[in-house]
């Protein structure tokens, strides 16, 4: 780990960004250009003290997950992200791997969607970024690590929690859709990929998954309309728009409701109150999308 190179690189990137570049308001008058350390920490979902120590050349070696979050927060390009990993003492990740990195262009779109549930997912339905309304609606994915972050994994291995978000009559269709989506990811990523690893785990541990997997259904599509059951707000009907990246490795999902409808009012409530609306229960829910 090259502490000097890491610190200099972080400081330079932070100074080159404005709040508007990352979807933040201007805030109080700034004596120096660029983002504040606390703003970077907020965007990366880490403590300000932890991030400050990295810039001051006295922090511990950050994990690859932390580096991915920092690269996303500072809107780094893939080449810049790779350099960040190397000076921090890690090998550069695979360009299509899951480490929390999201291309800056996609993040700019996400930054403008604060008023309605929106999230960016990997091809294996792992939330990479969620805004406040999405966390309030589906639960906060930041608490999970490893395969526990995948909504496909949780659907079959934590069904009681994951499926509570949707009406019972939709469970069979949603289960098949998740298997079809994983089959499509497997075809794109190959037999030695994380998609293959996830399929092997689920095939060994879930009879339901094994039966669906063997049906050979392939599809990469998100529902245009869905019903979500929120623990306190109740039933919410939403329209779902999906924006896939060019290589289909990530997708931006945006949920909206008809203007002036009761469901639109419920989404407004989620946007206004965030995760507070669930009285702390969001942190206890399994990721389910």
């Amino acid at each position: 780990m090259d502490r000097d190179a890491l610190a200099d690189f972080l400081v330079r990137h932070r100074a080159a960004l404005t709040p508007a570049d990352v979807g933040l308001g201007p805030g109080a008058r700034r004596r120096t250009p660029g983002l504040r350390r606390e703003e970077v920490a907020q965007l990366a979902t880490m403590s300000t003290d932890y991030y400050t120590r990295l810039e001051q050349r006295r922090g511990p070696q950050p994990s690859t997950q932390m580096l991915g979050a920092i690269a996303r927060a500072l809107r780094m390009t893939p080449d810049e992200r790779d350099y960040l990993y190397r000076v921090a003492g890690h090998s550069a990740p695979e360009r299509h791997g899951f480490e929390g990195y999201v291309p800056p262009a996609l993040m700019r779109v996400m930054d403008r969607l604060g008023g309605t549930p929106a999230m960016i997912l990997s091809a294996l339905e792992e939330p990479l970024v969620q805004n406040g309304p999405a966390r309030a609606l589906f639960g906060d994915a930041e608490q999970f690590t490893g395969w526990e972050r995948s909504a496909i994994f949780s659907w079959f291995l934590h069904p009681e929690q994951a499926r509570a978000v949707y009406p019972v009559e939709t469970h069979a269709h949603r289960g098949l859709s998740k298997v079809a989506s994983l089959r499509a990811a497997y075809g794109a990523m190959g037999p030695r990929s994380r998609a293959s690893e996830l399929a092997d785990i689920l095939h060994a541990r879930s009879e339901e998954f094994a039966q669906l997997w063997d049906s050979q259904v392939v599809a990469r599509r998100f529902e245009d309309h869905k019903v979500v059951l929120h623990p306190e707000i109740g039933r919410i009907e939403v329209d779902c728009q999906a924006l896939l990246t060019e290589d289909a490795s990530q997708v931006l999902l945006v949920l909206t409701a008809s203007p002036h409808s009761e469901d639109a009012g419920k989404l407004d409530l989620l946007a206004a109150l965030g995760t507070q609306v669930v009285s702390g229960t969001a942190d206890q829910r399994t990721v389910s999308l």
Side-chain angles (χ1 to χ4, degrees):
M1 177 179 174
D2 188 335
R3 294 181 184 277
D4 290 339
L6 175 61
D8 291 343
F9 193 58
L10 293 177
V11 170
R12 178 65 63 88
H13 269 273
R14 180 168 61 83
L17 292 171
T18 68
D21 292 333
V22 297
L24 298 176
R29 184 175 180 180
R30 295 166 189 265
R31 291 176 292 180
T32 58
L35 297 177
R36 299 186 176 97
R37 286 170 176 165
E38 58 266 29
E39 290 171 332
V40 177
Q42 173 190 341
L43 292 167
T45 321
M46 61 181 60
S47 72
T48 301
D49 178 68
Y50 182 92
Y51 179 78
T52 299
R53 283 184 288 148
L54 292 178
E55 286 200 358
Q56 293 178 343
R57 299 167 170 80
R58 58 187 181 89
Q61 182 184 33
S63 66
T64 56
Q65 185 175 5
M66 284 291 191
L67 292 171
I70 292 171
R72 181 187 75 223
L74 292 175
R75 305 305 193 259
M76 292 183 182
T77 66
D79 289 338
E80 291 167 342
R81 185 273 314 269
D82 290 353
Y83 178 81
L84 175 70
Y85 272 68
R86 292 185 179 111
V87 298
H90 296 283
S91 298
E94 295 182 9
R95 289 293 174 108
H96 301 304
F98 170 69
E99 71 296 318
Y101 175 76
V102 176
L106 191 58
M107 281 300 304
R108 286 195 294 271
V109 178
M110 181 74 176
D111 290 337
R112 288 158 174 76
L113 297 172
T116 191
M119 67 202 86
I120 297 172
L121 309 175
S122 75
L124 305 182
E125 297 193 16
E126 299 155 302
L128 305 178
V129 187
Q130 297 171 287
N131 65 8
R135 286 192 294 272
L137 189 58
F138 294 110
D140 189 351
E142 290 294 334
Q143 64 180 308
F144 299 107
T145 59
W147 288 122
E148 298 289 336
R149 287 181 70 97
S150 168
I152 301 174
F153 179 95
S154 62
W155 184 267
F156 292 100
L157 296 187
H158 302 301
E160 183 175 349
Q161 299 96 331
R163 302 184 190 193
V165 181
Y166 297 101
V168 173
E169 62 270 18
T170 68
H171 289 182
H173 174 71
R174 293 194 61 79
L176 181 59
S177 295
K178 290 186 179 301
V179 173
S181 178
L182 179 56
R183 176 71 75 175
Y186 174 87
M189 300 167 69
R192 296 184 179 180
S193 64
R194 295 180 69 247
S196 176
E197 181 183 349
L198 178 56
D200 288 343
I201 291 171
L202 294 176
H203 202 280
R205 297 174 57 181
S206 169
E207 182 178 349
E208 178 188 4
F209 175 86
Q211 292 176 349
L212 293 173
W213 182 257
D214 293 341
S215 69
Q216 299 287 330
V217 177
V218 183
R220 178 70 170 146
R221 178 173 173 80
F222 292 86
E223 295 174 273
D224 295 329
H225 187 82
K226 66 172 66 177
V227 176
V228 181
L229 304 178
H230 190 276
E232 293 188 8
I233 296 179
R235 180 186 177 99
I236 309 175
E237 292 194 32
V238 294
D239 294 315
C240 179
Q241 299 297 318
L243 174 64
L244 285 165
T245 56
E246 186 174 356
D247 63 359
S249 64
Q250 295 178 4
V251 60
L252 170 63
L253 289 185
V254 184
L255 305 181
T256 61
S258 299
H260 313 300
S261 66
E262 180 181 356
D263 297 299
K266 293 177 180 179
L267 292 185
D268 289 341
L269 179 60
L270 286 173
L273 300 182
T275 53
Q276 296 179 19
V277 76
V278 296
S279 304
T281 59
D283 289 339
Q284 306 302 318
R285 283 182 281 158
T286 300
V287 174
S288 182
L289 308 171

